Amino acid sequence: MKSIITVLLVCFIAIPVLSQEPAAENKAISNGRIITTDSKMINGQYLVIGKDSVEFYEKGNPALFAIPLSQVDQIQEFKGNWGNTGMWIGCLVGCGIGVAVALGTEETTTTGYFQETTIQTWPIYLIGLGGTLVGYLIGRSAEDYDTVYSRSTSFLKNLDIYMDKEFNSVHLAYKIKF
């Protein structure tokens, strides 16, 4: 029973630790933002995460700044915006509304033995184009960021789990620097 509890405890600890990304130390980011512990957001360029600080250029300022990692809550890397996704969603929704409007303009004419049904197609094109433009503008305003460093998981970079094949055991080690 004791060995089962030990295995479950090790698995409980190992799964979150092994699922973490490698440490962000010495990582360079061309465009991103820094969220400090006092909830201040800094938009920076050319960020370099060091062992105990992050160096960056603030947008519009040629001076190099450095902040200790103890004062940083999160560092996020800019990945782009959702403009193209918004454009496609807006196009589909706009064309769908355009088809509904176009079906409302249905006209039936009878010539002899034949009936001809026509619809106006301009609402499909016009409302589809408008939906595309609106979707692109809305999607472009939504920026996408990936978290590169987070203070809440930074303690895990000193945690090490490894298998010892000689003794058929699992080792858990944590490094503390003074």
Side-chain angles (χ1 to χ4, degrees), residues 2 9 13 18 27-28 35 39 50 53 61 63 78-79 81 92 106 108-109 116 128 132-133 136 149 151-152 169 174:
K2 189 175 181 182
L9 183 63
I13 293 171
L18 295 176
K27 183 168 181 157
I35 302 170
S39 299
S53 67
N61 193 345
F78 180 72
K79 290 293 185 183
N81 60 38
L92 291 173
E106 186 176 282
T108 305
T109 56
E116 185 178 332
T132 302
L133 292 174
Y136 178 74
Y149 171 84
R151 183 184 180 116
S152 62
S169 62
Y174 189 78

Side-chain angles (χ1 to χ4, degrees), residues 160-176:
D160 189 21
I161 276 188
Y162 57 93
M163 290 285 298
D164 187 356
K165 293 184 181 181
E166 182 179 345
F167 295 107
N168 198 17
S169 62
V170 176
H171 293 271
L172 179 66
Y174 189 78
K175 297 178 206 165
I176 300 175

Side-chain angles (χ1 to χ4, degrees), residues 3 25 28 34 38 46 73 77 91 105 107 111 122 124 133 140 142 149 154 163-165 176:
S3 62
E25 191 175 312
I34 301 168
D38 58 348
Y46 311 115
D73 194 33
E77 182 178 11
C91 178
T105 64
E107 296 177 2
T111 53
W122 63 267
I124 300 171
L133 292 174
R140 187 171 174 198
Y149 171 84
S154 65
M163 290 285 298
D164 187 356
K165 293 184 181 181
I176 300 175

Side-chain angles (χ1 to χ4, degrees), residues 14-25 27 29 49 75-77 79 145-150 153-159:
I15 289 172
V17 170
L18 295 176
S19 67
Q20 295 296 321
E21 292 182 14
E25 191 175 312
K27 183 168 181 157
I29 301 168
I49 303 170
I75 299 174
Q76 298 176 339
E77 182 178 11
K79 290 293 185 183
Y145 287 92
D146 276 350
T147 301
V148 176
Y149 171 84
S150 176
T153 60
S154 65
F155 77 95
L156 294 175
K157 71 180 179 181
N158 293 331
L159 193 62

